[in-house]
Amino acid sequence: MQVITCEEVIPMAEEKKKLSVYEYIRTHLDGDGRLEKGCRIHVLFDRAHRELPEFNEPDGYLDAAVSGPYRDPDFPKLHEIIRLASEGHSEEALVQLDQYFDSEEHRALACREELQRWVPTQQKSLGPGHIVEFGRHIIEFACKAMVRSDHSESVKLGLALIGLFDLHYLKKLGDIIETLALSEEFTLFCAFAVNRWPDRNQRIFEMVKKVHGWGMLAAGTELEPETEEIREWLWDKEGIPTGERGISIIREDPRVNAWILRYVLSEDSERNRGILAIYEQKEILESLVESNCETGNEEKSENTEELLLVMLLDVLKEWPGEGEAILLQGLRSYDLYTENMALEVVNCWKEQGIELSDRILAGLELMKKRETDEKLKERINEILK
C-alpha cells in the first residue's frame, strides 16, 4: 500500500500557532528523555475544551476510570468524520474531530474497538482503484491528528487508526509514537498503534520502561512475556510471577491464582498441556458451570466459578487448540457473557487454522438447540457454516 510519510505532516505541526499536544511533549523532556515531572496533559489541554472537574489525578486517570463495555453513544457522527478524511479532506475532518471530542461523553477509548472494525469494512467495499487512496488518506489524517491536534482525545484516535496498518518501516512515525508514549495519557494508545508491527512487543516494552503510572500498567497488559527480560520486568514491576515460579503458585491455589496463567504459557505445547491440565481436573471442570447449568440463568453471573471460567476462556483465545475441555465447559454454560466468550474462542481458533473437533461441533449444536438469544444463534450458525 502506498502511504503518506510523516515528513509531509510534521512541518504542518510546527507552522501552527496553537501548540499541539505532540509539540508540548516533544519540548518538555528531561535529560533522560522522559516527560518532565509535573506535566499534566489533561490539565493543560483537556480543560481548554471541556468542563472537567478540578482534580489532580495523573494523566490517564479518566481512561483508567472507564468501566463496562466501551461504547460511544454517537458513532454515526464519528463515521461521517472518518469518511470525510478518507475522501482526502483531512483538514476539515480534523476540525470536526476536535469538535466531536469537545463533548464530555465522547472518549477515544470508547470508540477504538468499533472504529477498528468499521474502517476495514469501508475499505473492503471500495473498488480496487480506490483502496490504496482510502488507506493513504486515513493514514494522513491519523498522522495529522497525532502531531497537530491540541486535543488529547483526537491524538488518541489518530493512534488507534494507525494501529490498523503495519507502518514499521516509517522511522519518523515510530519516533512520534515513542514521544507520545512518554505521557501516561497516551502510552496505552501508542501500544495500540504498533499492534500490527512485527516488532510490536519490543516496542511496547521500550514504552512501558519509560513511564511509571497508568501508562505502564495499561500498556503492560499488551505485553507478551516472550523473552526472559520481559518476564523479569513483569514480575518486578507488576508483581507477576512467571516461569516455574508462576506454575508453582498456580498449583497452590488454581482458582485464586488463575490470573497468572497467561504469563506462564509458552510456545511449548506439551508444557502448556501440563499447565492447563490443572484446570481440567474433574473437580474444577464440573464446578465451572455447575450453578448456571442448574438454574438456567442467562444474566451475567456473579458466581466466582463462572468468572473463573471467563478468565480461562479469555486466555485460550491466544492458544489455539489447547485447553479443549475448558472450552467445552464454556459451551455448556447458560451465562450469556460466558457463552459469547466461548464462541469468541472458537472463532479465534478457526481464524488461526484449527480444525474444530467433533466434541466442539457437538457442543455448538447443543448450545444452538437450547439457545433463546437470536443473536447468539446467528453467531453459532456462522461458525457451523
PDB file of all heavy atoms in Angstrom, residues 205-231:
ATOM      1  N   PHE A 205       7.513  -2.795  25.038  1.00  0.00           N
ATOM      2  CA  PHE A 205       8.396  -2.956  26.193  1.00  0.00           C
ATOM      3  C   PHE A 205       9.229  -1.698  26.423  1.00  0.00           C
ATOM      4  O   PHE A 205       9.374  -1.230  27.561  1.00  0.00           O
ATOM      5  CB  PHE A 205       9.295  -4.171  25.984  1.00  0.00           C
ATOM      6  CG  PHE A 205      10.134  -4.529  27.176  1.00  0.00           C
ATOM      7  CD1 PHE A 205       9.621  -4.465  28.465  1.00  0.00           C
ATOM      8  CD2 PHE A 205      11.451  -4.960  27.016  1.00  0.00           C
ATOM      9  CE1 PHE A 205      10.393  -4.802  29.568  1.00  0.00           C
ATOM     10  CE2 PHE A 205      12.236  -5.295  28.105  1.00  0.00           C
ATOM     11  CZ  PHE A 205      11.707  -5.221  29.391  1.00  0.00           C
ATOM     12  N   GLU A 206       9.751  -1.127  25.342  1.00  0.00           N
ATOM     13  CA  GLU A 206      10.533   0.105  25.469  1.00  0.00           C
ATOM     14  C   GLU A 206       9.666   1.253  25.970  1.00  0.00           C
ATOM     15  O   GLU A 206      10.121   2.111  26.728  1.00  0.00           O
ATOM     16  CB  GLU A 206      11.179   0.466  24.131  1.00  0.00           C
ATOM     17  CG  GLU A 206      12.214  -0.529  23.634  1.00  0.00           C
ATOM     18  CD  GLU A 206      13.324  -0.756  24.649  1.00  0.00           C
ATOM     19  OE1 GLU A 206      13.792   0.236  25.257  1.00  0.00           O
ATOM     20  OE2 GLU A 206      13.733  -1.927  24.842  1.00  0.00           O
ATOM     21  N   MET A 207       8.408   1.277  25.569  1.00  0.00           N
ATOM     22  CA  MET A 207       7.496   2.331  26.026  1.00  0.00           C
ATOM     23  C   MET A 207       7.252   2.242  27.533  1.00  0.00           C
ATOM     24  O   MET A 207       7.372   3.231  28.263  1.00  0.00           O
ATOM     25  CB  MET A 207       6.142   2.212  25.306  1.00  0.00           C
ATOM     26  CG  MET A 207       6.143   2.488  23.830  1.00  0.00           C
ATOM     27  SD  MET A 207       4.473   2.194  23.166  1.00  0.00           S
ATOM     28  CE  MET A 207       4.817   2.086  21.412  1.00  0.00           C
ATOM     29  N   VAL A 208       6.888   1.041  27.994  1.00  0.00           N
ATOM     30  CA  VAL A 208       6.471   0.911  29.386  1.00  0.00           C
ATOM     31  C   VAL A 208       7.633   1.111  30.356  1.00  0.00           C
ATOM     32  O   VAL A 208       7.417   1.446  31.528  1.00  0.00           O
ATOM     33  CB  VAL A 208       5.781  -0.450  29.648  1.00  0.00           C
ATOM     34  CG1 VAL A 208       4.511  -0.568  28.829  1.00  0.00           C
ATOM     35  CG2 VAL A 208       6.715  -1.606  29.347  1.00  0.00           C
ATOM     36  N   LYS A 209       8.854   0.916  29.891  1.00  0.00           N
ATOM     37  CA  LYS A 209      10.011   1.109  30.770  1.00  0.00           C
ATOM     38  C   LYS A 209      10.256   2.587  31.079  1.00  0.00           C
ATOM     39  O   LYS A 209      11.000   2.903  32.008  1.00  0.00           O
ATOM     40  CB  LYS A 209      11.265   0.502  30.133  1.00  0.00           C
ATOM     41  CG  LYS A 209      11.277  -1.026  30.139  1.00  0.00           C
ATOM     42  CD  LYS A 209      12.643  -1.590  29.794  1.00  0.00           C
ATOM     43  CE  LYS A 209      13.070  -1.283  28.389  1.00  0.00           C
ATOM     44  NZ  LYS A 209      14.355  -1.930  28.034  1.00  0.00           N
ATOM     45  N   LYS A 210       9.601   3.492  30.315  1.00  0.00           N
ATOM     46  CA  LYS A 210       9.854   4.918  30.486  1.00  0.00           C
ATOM     47  C   LYS A 210       8.726   5.655  31.194  1.00  0.00           C
ATOM     48  O   LYS A 210       8.743   6.871  31.315  1.00  0.00           O
ATOM     49  CB  LYS A 210      10.111   5.557  29.121  1.00  0.00           C
ATOM     50  CG  LYS A 210      11.377   5.038  28.452  1.00  0.00           C
ATOM     51  CD  LYS A 210      11.586   5.643  27.078  1.00  0.00           C
ATOM     52  CE  LYS A 210      12.842   5.087  26.418  1.00  0.00           C
ATOM     53  NZ  LYS A 210      13.042   5.638  25.055  1.00  0.00           N
ATOM     54  N   VAL A 211       7.717   4.907  31.650  1.00  0.00           N
ATOM     55  CA  VAL A 211       6.616   5.510  32.408  1.00  0.00           C
ATOM     56  C   VAL A 211       6.425   4.696  33.690  1.00  0.00           C
ATOM     57  O   VAL A 211       6.943   3.591  33.827  1.00  0.00           O
ATOM     58  CB  VAL A 211       5.316   5.563  31.583  1.00  0.00           C
ATOM     59  CG1 VAL A 211       5.399   6.630  30.507  1.00  0.00           C
ATOM     60  CG2 VAL A 211       5.008   4.203  30.954  1.00  0.00           C
ATOM     61  N   HIS A 212       5.649   5.244  34.613  1.00  0.00           N
ATOM     62  CA  HIS A 212       5.583   4.605  35.938  1.00  0.00           C
ATOM     63  C   HIS A 212       4.165   4.462  36.499  1.00  0.00           C
ATOM     64  O   HIS A 212       3.983   3.826  37.517  1.00  0.00           O
ATOM     65  CB  HIS A 212       6.420   5.402  36.946  1.00  0.00           C
ATOM     66  CG  HIS A 212       7.843   5.593  36.533  1.00  0.00           C
ATOM     67  ND1 HIS A 212       8.777   4.579  36.588  1.00  0.00           N
ATOM     68  CD2 HIS A 212       8.487   6.671  36.025  1.00  0.00           C
ATOM     69  CE1 HIS A 212       9.945   5.027  36.146  1.00  0.00           C
ATOM     70  NE2 HIS A 212       9.797   6.286  35.801  1.00  0.00           N
ATOM     71  N   GLY A 213       3.157   5.055  35.853  1.00  0.00           N
ATOM     72  CA  GLY A 213       1.813   5.020  36.407  1.00  0.00           C
ATOM     73  C   GLY A 213       0.843   4.232  35.556  1.00  0.00           C
ATOM     74  O   GLY A 213       1.103   3.097  35.165  1.00  0.00           O
ATOM     75  N   TRP A 214      -0.303   4.879  35.250  1.00  0.00           N
ATOM     76  CA  TRP A 214      -1.356   4.235  34.465  1.00  0.00           C
ATOM     77  C   TRP A 214      -0.821   3.732  33.122  1.00  0.00           C
ATOM     78  O   TRP A 214      -1.160   2.647  32.671  1.00  0.00           O
ATOM     79  CB  TRP A 214      -2.497   5.215  34.249  1.00  0.00           C
ATOM     80  CG  TRP A 214      -3.367   4.923  33.058  1.00  0.00           C
ATOM     81  CD1 TRP A 214      -3.465   5.650  31.906  1.00  0.00           C
ATOM     82  CD2 TRP A 214      -4.270   3.820  32.893  1.00  0.00           C
ATOM     83  NE1 TRP A 214      -4.349   5.074  31.037  1.00  0.00           N
ATOM     84  CE2 TRP A 214      -4.874   3.952  31.623  1.00  0.00           C
ATOM     85  CE3 TRP A 214      -4.614   2.729  33.699  1.00  0.00           C
ATOM     86  CZ2 TRP A 214      -5.803   3.038  31.134  1.00  0.00           C
ATOM     87  CZ3 TRP A 214      -5.554   1.817  33.202  1.00  0.00           C
ATOM     88  CH2 TRP A 214      -6.136   1.980  31.947  1.00  0.00           C
ATOM     89  N   GLY A 215       0.018   4.527  32.482  1.00  0.00           N
ATOM     90  CA  GLY A 215       0.554   4.126  31.191  1.00  0.00           C
ATOM     91  C   GLY A 215       1.304   2.809  31.261  1.00  0.00           C
ATOM     92  O   GLY A 215       1.156   1.938  30.399  1.00  0.00           O
ATOM     93  N   MET A 216       2.121   2.653  32.283  1.00  0.00           N
ATOM     94  CA  MET A 216       2.876   1.410  32.450  1.00  0.00           C
ATOM     95  C   MET A 216       1.939   0.234  32.705  1.00  0.00           C
ATOM     96  O   MET A 216       2.088  -0.838  32.098  1.00  0.00           O
ATOM     97  CB  MET A 216       3.853   1.539  33.623  1.00  0.00           C
ATOM     98  CG  MET A 216       4.692   0.294  33.867  1.00  0.00           C
ATOM     99  SD  MET A 216       5.619   0.353  35.420  1.00  0.00           S
ATOM    100  CE  MET A 216       4.297   0.107  36.620  1.00  0.00           C
ATOM    101  N   LEU A 217       0.961   0.424  33.577  1.00  0.00           N
ATOM    102  CA  LEU A 217       0.056  -0.668  33.927  1.00  0.00           C
ATOM    103  C   LEU A 217      -0.816  -1.070  32.749  1.00  0.00           C
ATOM    104  O   LEU A 217      -0.992  -2.248  32.464  1.00  0.00           O
ATOM    105  CB  LEU A 217      -0.822  -0.253  35.114  1.00  0.00           C
ATOM    106  CG  LEU A 217      -0.099  -0.032  36.442  1.00  0.00           C
ATOM    107  CD1 LEU A 217      -1.049   0.550  37.468  1.00  0.00           C
ATOM    108  CD2 LEU A 217       0.501  -1.335  36.944  1.00  0.00           C
ATOM    109  N   ALA A 218      -1.374  -0.059  32.040  1.00  0.00           N
ATOM    110  CA  ALA A 218      -2.299  -0.353  30.949  1.00  0.00           C
ATOM    111  C   ALA A 218      -1.577  -0.950  29.749  1.00  0.00           C
ATOM    112  O   ALA A 218      -1.983  -1.982  29.212  1.00  0.00           O
ATOM    113  CB  ALA A 218      -3.037   0.920  30.540  1.00  0.00           C
ATOM    114  N   ALA A 219      -0.492  -0.304  29.310  1.00  0.00           N
ATOM    115  CA  ALA A 219       0.249  -0.815  28.158  1.00  0.00           C
ATOM    116  C   ALA A 219       0.954  -2.119  28.501  1.00  0.00           C
ATOM    117  O   ALA A 219       1.177  -2.964  27.619  1.00  0.00           O
ATOM    118  CB  ALA A 219       1.256   0.226  27.678  1.00  0.00           C
ATOM    119  N   GLY A 220       1.298  -2.309  29.780  1.00  0.00           N
ATOM    120  CA  GLY A 220       1.948  -3.544  30.197  1.00  0.00           C
ATOM    121  C   GLY A 220       1.077  -4.764  29.967  1.00  0.00           C
ATOM    122  O   GLY A 220       1.587  -5.864  29.739  1.00  0.00           O
ATOM    123  N   THR A 221      -0.252  -4.579  29.980  1.00  0.00           N
ATOM    124  CA  THR A 221      -1.148  -5.707  29.722  1.00  0.00           C
ATOM    125  C   THR A 221      -1.102  -6.140  28.264  1.00  0.00           C
ATOM    126  O   THR A 221      -1.575  -7.231  27.923  1.00  0.00           O
ATOM    127  CB  THR A 221      -2.596  -5.352  30.092  1.00  0.00           C
ATOM    128  OG1 THR A 221      -3.056  -4.275  29.252  1.00  0.00           O
ATOM    129  CG2 THR A 221      -2.705  -4.924  31.548  1.00  0.00           C
ATOM    130  N   GLU A 222      -0.567  -5.273  27.384  1.00  0.00           N
ATOM    131  CA  GLU A 222      -0.443  -5.620  25.967  1.00  0.00           C
ATOM    132  C   GLU A 222       0.835  -6.414  25.687  1.00  0.00           C
ATOM    133  O   GLU A 222       1.049  -6.886  24.578  1.00  0.00           O
ATOM    134  CB  GLU A 222      -0.438  -4.344  25.117  1.00  0.00           C
ATOM    135  CG  GLU A 222      -1.697  -3.505  25.242  1.00  0.00           C
ATOM    136  CD  GLU A 222      -2.924  -4.222  24.705  1.00  0.00           C
ATOM    137  OE1 GLU A 222      -2.848  -4.756  23.578  1.00  0.00           O
ATOM    138  OE2 GLU A 222      -3.949  -4.270  25.416  1.00  0.00           O
ATOM    139  N   LEU A 223       1.701  -6.530  26.685  1.00  0.00           N
ATOM    140  CA  LEU A 223       2.977  -7.221  26.505  1.00  0.00           C
ATOM    141  C   LEU A 223       2.812  -8.737  26.519  1.00  0.00           C
ATOM    142  O   LEU A 223       2.063  -9.287  27.328  1.00  0.00           O
ATOM    143  CB  LEU A 223       3.945  -6.850  27.633  1.00  0.00           C
ATOM    144  CG  LEU A 223       4.884  -5.665  27.439  1.00  0.00           C
ATOM    145  CD1 LEU A 223       5.705  -5.466  28.704  1.00  0.00           C
ATOM    146  CD2 LEU A 223       5.805  -5.881  26.241  1.00  0.00           C
ATOM    147  N   GLU A 224       3.527  -9.392  25.617  1.00  0.00           N
ATOM    148  CA  GLU A 224       3.619 -10.851  25.647  1.00  0.00           C
ATOM    149  C   GLU A 224       4.938 -11.218  26.329  1.00  0.00           C
ATOM    150  O   GLU A 224       5.995 -10.697  25.950  1.00  0.00           O
ATOM    151  CB  GLU A 224       3.606 -11.420  24.225  1.00  0.00           C
ATOM    152  CG  GLU A 224       2.339 -11.120  23.447  1.00  0.00           C
ATOM    153  CD  GLU A 224       1.117 -11.812  24.015  1.00  0.00           C
ATOM    154  OE1 GLU A 224       1.311 -12.824  24.728  1.00  0.00           O
ATOM    155  OE2 GLU A 224      -0.001 -11.356  23.769  1.00  0.00           O
ATOM    156  N   PRO A 225       4.912 -12.094  27.316  1.00  0.00           N
ATOM    157  CA  PRO A 225       6.144 -12.449  28.046  1.00  0.00           C
ATOM    158  C   PRO A 225       7.029 -13.390  27.239  1.00  0.00           C
ATOM    159  O   PRO A 225       7.306 -14.518  27.630  1.00  0.00           O
ATOM    160  CB  PRO A 225       5.603 -13.118  29.304  1.00  0.00           C
ATOM    161  CG  PRO A 225       4.306 -13.706  28.888  1.00  0.00           C
ATOM    162  CD  PRO A 225       3.727 -12.762  27.875  1.00  0.00           C
ATOM    163  N   GLU A 226       7.511 -12.908  26.074  1.00  0.00           N
ATOM    164  CA  GLU A 226       8.213 -13.794  25.155  1.00  0.00           C
ATOM    165  C   GLU A 226       9.720 -13.886  25.395  1.00  0.00           C
ATOM    166  O   GLU A 226      10.378 -14.757  24.840  1.00  0.00           O
ATOM    167  CB  GLU A 226       7.956 -13.340  23.708  1.00  0.00           C
ATOM    168  CG  GLU A 226       8.468 -11.954  23.383  1.00  0.00           C
ATOM    169  CD  GLU A 226       8.120 -11.532  21.974  1.00  0.00           C
ATOM    170  OE1 GLU A 226       7.242 -12.177  21.359  1.00  0.00           O
ATOM    171  OE2 GLU A 226       8.728 -10.558  21.482  1.00  0.00           O
ATOM    172  N   THR A 227      10.283 -12.975  26.183  1.00  0.00           N
ATOM    173  CA  THR A 227      11.710 -13.059  26.493  1.00  0.00           C
ATOM    174  C   THR A 227      11.904 -13.067  28.002  1.00  0.00           C
ATOM    175  O   THR A 227      11.035 -12.626  28.757  1.00  0.00           O
ATOM    176  CB  THR A 227      12.482 -11.868  25.902  1.00  0.00           C
ATOM    177  OG1 THR A 227      12.091 -10.653  26.589  1.00  0.00           O
ATOM    178  CG2 THR A 227      12.212 -11.713  24.411  1.00  0.00           C
ATOM    179  N   GLU A 228      13.048 -13.542  28.431  1.00  0.00           N
ATOM    180  CA  GLU A 228      13.343 -13.587  29.856  1.00  0.00           C
ATOM    181  C   GLU A 228      13.371 -12.185  30.449  1.00  0.00           C
ATOM    182  O   GLU A 228      12.921 -11.960  31.580  1.00  0.00           O
ATOM    183  CB  GLU A 228      14.689 -14.291  30.083  1.00  0.00           C
ATOM    184  CG  GLU A 228      15.004 -14.563  31.550  1.00  0.00           C
ATOM    185  CD  GLU A 228      13.967 -15.469  32.201  1.00  0.00           C
ATOM    186  OE1 GLU A 228      13.428 -16.357  31.516  1.00  0.00           O
ATOM    187  OE2 GLU A 228      13.683 -15.256  33.398  1.00  0.00           O
ATOM    188  N   GLU A 229      13.892 -11.223  29.677  1.00  0.00           N
ATOM    189  CA  GLU A 229      13.957  -9.840  30.159  1.00  0.00           C
ATOM    190  C   GLU A 229      12.566  -9.295  30.436  1.00  0.00           C
ATOM    191  O   GLU A 229      12.322  -8.659  31.469  1.00  0.00           O
ATOM    192  CB  GLU A 229      14.670  -8.960  29.132  1.00  0.00           C
ATOM    193  CG  GLU A 229      14.837  -7.512  29.597  1.00  0.00           C
ATOM    194  CD  GLU A 229      15.433  -6.606  28.539  1.00  0.00           C
ATOM    195  OE1 GLU A 229      15.548  -7.035  27.369  1.00  0.00           O
ATOM    196  OE2 GLU A 229      15.780  -5.456  28.863  1.00  0.00           O
ATOM    197  N   ILE A 230      11.619  -9.552  29.514  1.00  0.00           N
ATOM    198  CA  ILE A 230      10.256  -9.073  29.697  1.00  0.00           C
ATOM    199  C   ILE A 230       9.596  -9.788  30.875  1.00  0.00           C
ATOM    200  O   ILE A 230       8.903  -9.168  31.692  1.00  0.00           O
ATOM    201  CB  ILE A 230       9.430  -9.260  28.413  1.00  0.00           C
ATOM    202  CG1 ILE A 230       9.969  -8.348  27.305  1.00  0.00           C
ATOM    203  CG2 ILE A 230       7.950  -8.950  28.665  1.00  0.00           C
ATOM    204  CD1 ILE A 230       9.291  -8.540  25.963  1.00  0.00           C
ATOM    205  N   ARG A 231       9.814 -11.097  30.982  1.00  0.00           N
ATOM    206  CA  ARG A 231       9.222 -11.850  32.105  1.00  0.00           C
ATOM    207  C   ARG A 231       9.734 -11.319  33.444  1.00  0.00           C
ATOM    208  O   ARG A 231       8.959 -11.165  34.396  1.00  0.00           O
ATOM    209  CB  ARG A 231       9.530 -13.340  31.954  1.00  0.00           C
ATOM    210  CG  ARG A 231       8.717 -14.027  30.864  1.00  0.00           C
ATOM    211  CD  ARG A 231       8.838 -15.541  30.932  1.00  0.00           C
ATOM    212  NE  ARG A 231      10.128 -15.991  30.453  1.00  0.00           N
ATOM    213  CZ  ARG A 231      10.381 -16.306  29.194  1.00  0.00           C
ATOM    214  NH1 ARG A 231       9.438 -16.195  28.282  1.00  0.00           N
ATOM    215  NH2 ARG A 231      11.580 -16.728  28.832  1.00  0.00           N
TER     216      ARG A 231
END
